Amino acid sequence: MITKLPKIDRRSFIVGTGTVGAGLALGLQIPFGASVVRAQDGSPEINVWVVIRPDDTVVIRIARSEMGQGTLTGLAQMVCEELECDWSKVTTEYPTPGQSVARKRAWGDFSTGGSRGIRTSQEYVRKGGAAARMMLVQAAANAWGVPASECSAANSVITHKPSGRTTTYGKVAEAAAKLTPPADVPLKDPKDWKLIGKSVKRLDTTPKVTGAQVYGFDLKLPGMLNAAIKDCPVFGGKLKSFEAARVTGMPGVKHVVRVGDSAVAVVADTWWRAKTALDALPIVWDEGPNAKVSSATIADMLKAGLDADQAFVRNQNGDVKAAMAGASKKVEAVYAYPFQNHAPMEPMNATAKYTPDRCEVWVPTQNGEAAFAATLAASGLPADKCEVYKMNAGGAFGRRGAFHDFVTQAVLIAKEIPGTPVKLLWSREEDMTHGKYHPVMQAKLSGALDAAGNLTGLHCRLSGQSIIAAVFPQNLQEGRDNLAFQGLDPSGDFAFGYTVPNLLIDHAMRNTHVPPGFWRGVNINQNAIFMECFMDELAHAAGQDALEFRRKLMAKHPKHLAVLNA
């Protein structure tokens, strides 16, 4: 593994991945030609997205993360569609965030969440494939002394149409890598797509089925030690003391270290020995004032918000108070939605190796750049002395996106044992205790029905946590968290197509000490349940069939009505 790089410009290095075994090895400049950036094996980089090997293997760079959702294969399809390469010869690799920073974020956004992995990168990765194809075609045309317009590419083969001459991508890749990338890169018309939108074998299926896929959980490095950790079981609490001498003589135990203000870790030759010693370690916690908080006190706090005077209004029309006052029948219901943990199959983990000159981290993450930032902060080293090697994640659902507390912990532990790689693996108990949970929420819904059973007014009061206030407070809108209203806000059809003449949707923000996080669908989960359960209540009170009651409310939104009828 290369641990230092000479001072070089942005075109003189590249990443070769292989985040397995000993981890990713950095690429370097090999003197095969002028201004050619090369992968670790010496193959030329056509552009940041495409490396072509002499045997016609096409390596596609994937900046987004694979967590089981198929993004890796989907993005490779998009690049290959425009590249016109042989899909059977395609493989992929992850560029590293450190190299991306060094190359002025050449790969763009690394964040993978909110179903944006393909949506928000599809255009520029397709252009990467199209530009590489144009350069390969131009290289072949130059070699033949013919106009590029007379040449075409398909299935990794370039053909000169007038003469019938052919060559392969692998044979012209070296020359193509020396060309200036085209400024104008047109994309295919969707009607001409051959790969995008088609069913293909996922590129990661075989290694997963055979067990060859290496997750962070599986990673092994030479000389590696293993760490188990316990953080204060009460959020906001601190570590007061521990008796290291009671476990240092246990089999395999190497170190017992404080981690930050609130955690302690045992480092051993195997993870099970580390966990066994940690379970035997006498620990005294300073749990702080949050130790008095319970599920009952949180529920009471949220309940108080249901009738509070202050609330953030997001969706309003008509006069709800007047509609309620003039109703023939009023219906009210209160619902509650609990905290929920992400609990991916693979618990939180990260492997770190620290020296005063270099810090490297191997981690399954939804956002390599966020993991890189956590590494910089915890190591105290500059960006050019740090690197993060991204690995496939065994599930994530939001937990490995905005939060990288496990990366911070791994680096802090590794700093106590310089030069030794340390794999930190959370136990399932730790993973459940220290999640970033789906927000707890209550809702009080009030409806006004006229004499004919028509819904004339609706008030939905939400009371509960704000993810944005906890994670990205700078994104609050005058204190309001617009994401709390997902499915209920006026930016789309209110409540899935329902039309109510007098409407009020508001939120009494009640933040607990339990940290919330983005969680697979987030607020629309509970908002849909609140609204749909209440629609059943209203239909029952009106003496109407639940579907017919909804159809009347959706009359002005035929698209939603069509879905309901289906």
Side-chain angles (χ1 to χ4, degrees):
M1 164 119 5
I2 296 173
T3 56
K4 290 187 179 180
L5 288 175
K7 186 175 181 181
I8 45 183
D9 64 33
R10 63 182 291 269
R11 290 274 308 166
S12 61
F13 58 87
I14 190 52
V15 178
T17 57
T19 44
V20 297
L24 180 148
L26 297 179
L28 66 160
Q29 179 79 11
I30 300 175
F32 293 158
S35 301
V36 175
V37 182
R38 300 187 181 280
Q40 177 67 15
D41 64 0
S43 299
E45 174 189 290
I46 311 304
N47 58 34
V48 297
W49 300 105
V50 178
V51 170
I52 307 285
R53 294 175 181 161
D55 65 357
D56 293 326
T57 296
V58 177
V59 183
I60 304 298
R61 304 265 175 62
I62 305 293
R64 307 290 182 158
S65 297
E66 177 59 49
M67 304 170 283
Q69 80 281 34
T71 293
L72 183 146
T73 300
L75 288 171
Q77 282 178 262
M78 290 182 165
V79 174
C80 293
E81 178 70 67
E82 301 291 346
L83 181 58
E84 290 284 4
C85 68
D86 183 346
W87 179 253
S88 69
K89 295 182 178 180
V90 168
T91 186
T92 62
E93 64 182 24
Y94 290 130
T96 67
Q99 294 295 313
S100 188
V101 169
R103 296 177 71 167
K104 300 181 181 179
R105 297 192 79 225
W107 288 277
D109 191 357
F110 277 59
S111 178
T112 312
S115 301
R116 295 188 302 271
I118 286 178
R119 267 195 298 132
T120 60
S121 59
Q122 60 87 17
E123 183 177 0
Y124 60 79
V125 301
R126 287 168 58 205
K127 285 188 175 181
R133 183 197 72 244
M134 295 169 69
M135 294 166 71
L136 290 160
V137 169
Q138 185 64 60
N142 291 348
W144 291 326
V146 300
S149 59
E150 294 181 358
C151 301
S152 63
N155 214 34
S156 294
V157 175
I158 303 165
T159 301
H160 179 232
K161 289 176 282 188
S163 68
R165 283 177 291 181
T166 64
T167 189
T168 66
Y169 282 2
K171 292 177 180 177
V172 299
E174 187 73 28
K178 299 176 183 178
L179 298 177
T180 301
D184 182 27
V185 184
L187 297 175
K188 282 186 180 181
D189 189 307
K191 68 179 176 56
D192 297 323
W193 286 347
K194 294 178 287 187
L195 269 176
I196 296 177
K198 308 301 180 183
S199 179
V200 298
K201 292 181 179 179
R202 281 179 51 159
L203 299 174
D204 56 346
T205 299
T206 298
K208 288 178 178 177
V209 171
T210 62
Q213 177 66 60
V214 176
Y215 297 92
F217 183 100
D218 307 308
L219 182 67
K220 291 179 179 155
L221 298 177
M224 185 181 77
L225 295 177
N226 297 269
I229 195 166
K230 277 187 182 179
D231 208 329
C232 182
V234 177
F235 291 108
K238 294 182 178 181
L239 173 64
K240 191 171 183 179
S241 64
F242 57 91
E243 298 179 42
R246 295 279 292 274
V247 301
T248 51
M250 293 180 67
V253 173
K254 305 295 184 182
H255 306 273
V256 182
V257 300
R258 175 184 288 268
V259 186
D261 293 330
S262 62
V264 58
V266 174
V267 182
D269 56 354
T270 71
W271 182 79
W272 186 250
R273 284 178 165 178
K275 182 183 184 301
T276 300
L278 183 63
D279 289 342
L281 180 67
I283 305 172
V284 179
W285 305 106
D286 176 6
E287 295 182 339
N290 291 330
K292 298 178 181 179
V293 179
S294 67
S295 296
T297 62
I298 291 174
D300 287 343
M301 179 179 68
L302 269 58
K303 183 179 179 181
L306 296 177
D307 297 307
D309 292 333
Q310 191 280 328
F312 295 104
V313 175
R314 176 60 174 162
N315 200 350
Q316 184 175 23
N317 60 267
D319 189 338
V320 168
K321 288 186 178 180
M324 293 294 177
S328 295
K329 183 180 289 188
K330 288 186 282 188
V331 181
E332 186 176 284
V334 174
Y335 305 101
Y337 201 88
F339 292 111
Q340 292 189 78
N341 197 0
H342 298 80
M345 185 177 295
E346 180 189 24
M348 300 302 106
N349 68 86
T351 300
K353 181 180 179 182
Y354 173 88
T355 70
D357 293 320
R358 183 79 172 164
C359 184
E360 298 171 289
V361 172
W362 294 257
V363 60
T365 173
Q366 290 179 246
N367 188 343
E369 290 179 311
F372 187 66
T375 300
L376 297 183
S379 70
L381 296 175
D384 62 350
K385 293 189 176 183
C386 293
E387 191 55 280
V388 167
Y389 309 123
K390 191 170 64 170
M391 308 185 73
N392 284 6
F397 316 126
R399 179 60 178 94
R400 290 182 159 100
F403 305 99
H404 285 81
D405 42 348
F406 47 98
V407 171
T408 297
Q409 290 175 341
V411 173
L412 292 177
I413 295 168
K415 287 179 75 173
E416 298 295 318
I417 318 168
T420 300
V422 181
K423 178 166 70 178
L424 170 66
L425 173 64
W426 284 18
S427 67
R428 180 58 73 190
E429 297 90 338
E430 189 73 8
D431 199 57
M432 295 300 291
T433 302
H434 285 283
K436 310 296 181 181
Y437 303 86
H438 184 287
V440 66
M441 190 73 68
Q442 291 186 18
K444 180 178 181 180
L445 288 96
S446 305
L449 297 171
D450 64 16
N454 297 309
L455 181 62
T456 59
L458 176 65
H459 179 199
C460 176
R461 162 63 64 86
L462 302 171
S463 177
Q465 281 182 295
S466 161
I467 299 175
I468 295 299
V471 182
F472 300 122
Q474 68 275 16
N475 292 341
L476 292 172
Q477 303 294 314
E478 298 180 346
R480 183 183 67 222
D481 176 2
N482 288 342
L483 287 183
F485 299 93
Q486 286 176 315
L488 306 175
D489 64 64
S491 61
D493 294 332
F494 156 67
F496 322 107
Y498 299 136
T499 298
V500 183
N502 300 287
L503 177 70
L504 176 61
I505 310 289
D506 53 15
H507 175 213
M509 192 182 294
R510 295 294 184 270
N511 293 318
T512 78
H513 75 294
V514 178
F518 296 101
W519 190 97
R520 197 132 196 202
V522 198
N523 296 293
I524 200 167
N525 292 324
Q526 71 265 17
N527 291 343
I529 291 173
F530 298 156
M531 189 57 61
E532 291 307 298
C533 287
F534 193 57
M535 287 296 152
D536 286 340
E537 295 278 354
L538 290 169
H540 179 75
Q544 299 177 28
D545 176 79
L547 286 177
E548 287 301 322
F549 187 82
R550 287 174 168 83
R551 287 188 178 105
K552 288 193 296 182
L553 294 175
M554 288 184 178
K556 294 184 179 180
H557 298 282
K559 289 183 180 179
H560 291 273
L561 187 59
V563 173
L564 179 67
N565 290 334

